[in-house]
Amino acid sequence: MGVGGSTLQSSDSVPVPPPPAPKTMANEKNVYFGTDSLKKYFDPDCQPPLPLVELPEHLNPFYHDGIRIYAKMMTMHPANNVKSMPAPALNMLESSVEPNKTNTIIEYSSGSTVISMSMIARVMHGVNDTRAFLSNKTSDAKLRLMQFFGLNITLFGGPSQPEPIDSRGGIQNARRMAMESDDIVNPNQYENDKNWQSHIRWTGPQIYKQLPEINVLCAGMGTSGTMTGLGTYFKSVKPSVMRLGVCTAPGDRVPGPRSFALMRPVEFPWKEAVDDIEEVGSSESYTLSLQLCREGLVCGPSSGFNLQGLFQMLSKRKKQGTISELAGPDGLVHCVFLCCDLPYQYISEYFQKLGTEQFPPIRNERLTKVDLHRYDEAWERVALDVLPDIYGSPRSLAQTPLHEITLKPQARVLDLRQEPDFLAWHLPGSMNVPLRSLGPGTPSPFSDPGVLEAQWVELEAVMDRLVRASELGSTHVLVVCYDGDTARVATSVLRARGVEADSVRGGHTAMKMYGIGNEAIEPVKVSQATVSVSAVPLD
């Protein structure tokens, strides 16, 4: 056996099971009707083939060497990953689930297989209890994703990719549970030949029908089911196709595939299905995945992993001058690699593997830690609408002398302006809460992130003190400031603490436009209820 340039040899041949006849004619309109619509939707025999997309020249560094590269978008299956067609779909579950008897599916899986299995068990067989056995080193994002899809999860210690025959691992635990109960099924993707044979049934024929000119096929090696099935199929229908398997580089890890050393105990006939193997690192895999995603081919790290393996093989052959040996009658080399997964559950790993320099910066990132409460347009109100709620309903607030206006018993007014401005004029019964971060010339917090950060931190401390001191209680609070924007932030802070609060849209400026506050009055002495923000700790 060889890796990275030497040819894998085997004298044994693996028979190719004849694919069954399609259940229906090609569904060109891609529409699914009737009471069994979901079953048809998940059945590859009832669907158009999954897309095969050629990489444009700027994504193909070997384009001018006569190389054409195509992505087989396995992610376009209803369950969004390659595992929907082999392990859980019509091949493994349809041969193992017994109607009216099977109640539970158990599978050891890193994520994609068992998620797909749970969906197809429900849709195809009415089995709602699918249980995932997996490594305790599984990322939090994957665990949450499995919970999202309703999976019952059991974690196991030890290697993240245990050998299938290891009695201490989750693979054999799942197998034992199924053997001990008649209503539990363990499809066991690691040992079930229906896994790799499903690619003979569906994936291989799809690719060959879409691209009969194919010269090179590339897929990753995890359980090896995908590569075993595809390699076996093309060895039968077009032996000239070069079959490239991709393994992870020693000591590195990409979600899904295994290292070449870990392939040793895999019992599928993968050695007869592969002509060559490349070993690929995680950094290159994530980089290529990111590049493909940004260009419109949305795929995950194992997809970039497969493409990098193909690039490495082509680069070696170019140096050796042997690329032409792969070409077909048209003089071109048509290469297909599998896009197996999506990037979303691995987003944090992209940043860990590639570093922040690969990603555009976030402007105003400081705001991610402040202004965290919700807003509602209904809380920002016009003065003439909200003041009657606070002071009653005089015929005309603009024409009513201030001394005739009194607060309702369960109403409070908080004025956030500086003390001199408050003393010059304020709504009757107001409580002055002057903010250090607010003055008559302060920019709006929504135009200056620094202002918003400072005001939110200060308001959090101030409002905490007021609420703890029972200054507000079960009251309706109106918040006023110079232009209304700081009061809007304060209202959000108060509402987050369960206080019914509103702000005046446009603040004191708007009230003056309505004629409120234009009345010439003597300066009003601040009542004892006035709160000085200087007395409020801000840490």
Side-chain angles (χ1 to χ4, degrees):
M1 296 297 153
V3 178
S6 56
T7 303
L8 296 171
Q9 301 288 343
S10 175
S11 59
D12 299 328
S13 61
V14 179
V16 179
K23 296 179 181 179
T24 66
M25 298 297 289
N27 182 6
E28 295 180 357
K29 293 184 179 180
N30 207 11
V31 179
Y32 307 88
F33 296 102
T35 57
D36 60 347
S37 58
L38 279 177
K39 290 184 178 180
K40 294 175 184 175
Y41 176 55
F42 273 84
D43 187 345
D45 289 336
C46 301
Q47 302 170 346
L50 300 178
L52 189 67
V53 185
E54 182 180 356
L55 299 190
E57 182 178 341
H58 67 279
L59 291 176
N60 177 2
F62 302 95
Y63 187 87
H64 295 290
D65 298 303
I67 308 295
R68 300 295 179 264
I69 299 176
Y70 307 81
K72 178 63 173 174
M73 302 302 294
M74 304 301 292
T75 54
M76 298 300 288
H77 187 274
N80 298 132
N81 64 74
V82 68
K83 300 295 187 178
S84 304
M85 295 183 83
L90 303 179
N91 242 33
M92 287 181 67
L93 288 183
E94 78 177 6
S95 62
S96 56
V97 171
E98 296 186 43
N100 302 317
K101 184 176 180 180
T102 301
N103 295 321
T104 302
I105 309 292
I106 295 181
E107 185 73 359
Y108 188 93
S109 165
S110 62
S112 296
T113 298
V114 76
I115 289 171
S116 301
M117 193 176 288
S118 70
M119 285 188 274
I120 292 170
R122 286 191 186 96
V123 170
M124 296 294 190
H125 305 286
V127 176
N128 295 313
D129 182 15
T130 300
R131 303 181 186 181
F133 285 9
L134 65 159
S135 168
N136 64 329
K137 299 164 185 63
T138 304
S139 69
D140 185 67
K142 273 195 175 183
L143 293 175
R144 295 291 175 261
L145 189 64
M146 292 188 198
Q147 289 180 300
F148 177 84
F149 281 104
L151 286 157
N152 182 314
I153 300 171
T154 301
L155 300 179
F156 288 84
S160 59
Q161 291 179 315
E163 293 191 1
I165 59 174
D166 189 342
S167 61
R168 299 163 294 181
I171 296 174
Q172 289 303 316
N173 269 278
R175 186 170 181 266
R176 281 194 294 270
M177 285 186 67
M179 293 177 64
E180 293 169 359
S181 176
D182 291 338
D183 64 352
I184 296 176
V185 165
N186 169 223
N188 194 350
Q189 60 175 317
Y190 301 92
E191 299 177 357
N192 193 331
D193 286 338
K194 295 292 185 178
N195 181 336
W196 61 270
Q197 288 172 0
S198 63
H199 289 291
I200 296 173
R201 180 175 178 180
W202 289 303
T203 318
Q206 275 194 16
I207 294 173
Y208 191 40
K209 183 177 181 180
Q210 291 171 306
L211 189 70
E213 302 88 353
I214 183 173
N215 307 113
V216 177
L217 174 76
C218 176
M221 306 281 281
T223 64
S224 82
T226 304
M227 193 66 235
T228 299
L230 289 174
T232 301
Y233 175 79
F234 278 101
K235 184 175 183 179
S236 173
V237 300
K238 191 176 181 180
S240 62
V241 171
M242 189 267 187
R243 304 161 302 167
L244 177 66
V246 188
C247 291
T248 53
D252 207 343
R253 183 177 179 274
V254 176
R258 291 169 171 251
S259 67
F260 185 73
L262 289 177
M263 293 301 301
R264 185 183 67 257
V266 176
E267 296 184 358
F268 293 159
W270 60 271
K271 296 176 185 177
E272 294 78 31
V274 177
D275 298 308
D276 198 359
I277 284 180
E278 287 291 338
E279 295 179 315
V280 169
S282 59
S283 178
E284 298 90 342
S285 303
Y286 280 85
T287 298
L288 275 180
S289 166
L290 181 66
Q291 186 178 5
L292 290 173
C293 287
R294 290 177 175 175
E295 294 292 336
L297 288 174
V298 181
C299 59
S302 68
S303 305
F305 171 84
N306 292 341
L307 180 57
Q308 176 63 23
L310 178 61
F311 281 174
Q312 290 179 190
M313 183 275 291
L314 292 172
S315 179
K316 290 175 182 177
R317 283 186 170 264
K318 184 175 179 178
K319 290 179 181 178
Q320 297 165 357
T322 60
I323 280 183
S324 60
E325 296 175 6
L326 301 173
D330 60 359
L332 300 175
V333 181
H334 298 277
C335 307
V336 174
F337 75 98
L338 266 63
C339 281
C340 310
D341 58 349
L342 291 171
Y344 306 114
Q345 59 184 310
Y346 308 109
I347 294 299
S348 61
E349 295 179 29
Y350 282 86
F351 285 83
Q352 294 168 6
K353 297 283 185 181
L354 305 182
T356 56
E357 63 274 9
Q358 293 287 337
F359 304 92
I362 299 175
R363 292 186 176 88
N364 302 332
E365 189 170 6
R366 62 203 296 183
L367 296 186
T368 59
K369 296 179 174 59
V370 300
D371 194 30
L372 304 179
H373 310 309
R374 67 178 289 255
Y375 288 82
D376 192 314
E377 290 182 3
W379 304 340
E380 189 181 27
R381 303 177 63 184
V382 175
L384 294 180
D385 292 338
V386 69
L387 290 178
D389 295 343
I390 301 296
Y391 291 100
S393 302
R395 286 190 298 263
S396 173
L397 285 165
Q399 299 174 6
T400 304
L402 288 176
H403 67 272
E404 296 182 12
I405 303 175
T406 58
L407 278 171
K408 288 183 176 181
Q410 294 301 313
R412 296 285 186 276
V413 178
L414 301 184
D415 193 321
L416 307 180
R417 297 175 299 151
Q418 292 303 305
E419 186 174 357
D421 300 310
F422 178 79
L423 289 174
W425 181 90
H426 59 268
L427 288 170
S430 298
M431 178 186 298
N432 189 207
V433 187
L435 301 181
R436 286 200 296 261
S437 55
L438 176 65
T442 303
S444 165
F446 302 112
S447 65
D448 187 327
V451 172
L452 178 56
E453 181 179 28
Q455 289 187 355
W456 190 82
V457 170
E458 188 174 4
L459 284 166
E460 283 279 290
V462 169
M463 298 310 169
D464 264 348
R465 177 185 175 112
L466 290 176
V467 171
R468 288 198 305 267
S470 301
E471 292 283 356
L472 304 180
S474 57
T475 59
H476 182 186
V477 176
L478 181 65
V479 189
V480 180
C481 68
Y482 293 100
D483 63 5
D485 286 352
T486 301
R488 186 184 182 210
V489 179
T491 298
S492 172
V493 171
L494 285 170
R495 289 275 183 170
R497 287 159 172 75
V499 177
E500 182 185 359
D502 294 300
S503 65
V504 174
R505 183 187 294 272
H508 182 252
T509 302
M511 287 194 289
K512 291 187 69 174
M513 290 176 60
Y514 288 118
I516 305 168
N518 291 337
E519 177 183 355
I521 59 173
E522 295 295 324
V524 178
K525 183 178 180 181
V526 183
S527 68
Q528 292 182 351
T530 301
V531 175
S532 173
V533 77
S534 61
V536 180
L538 297 181
D539 51 16

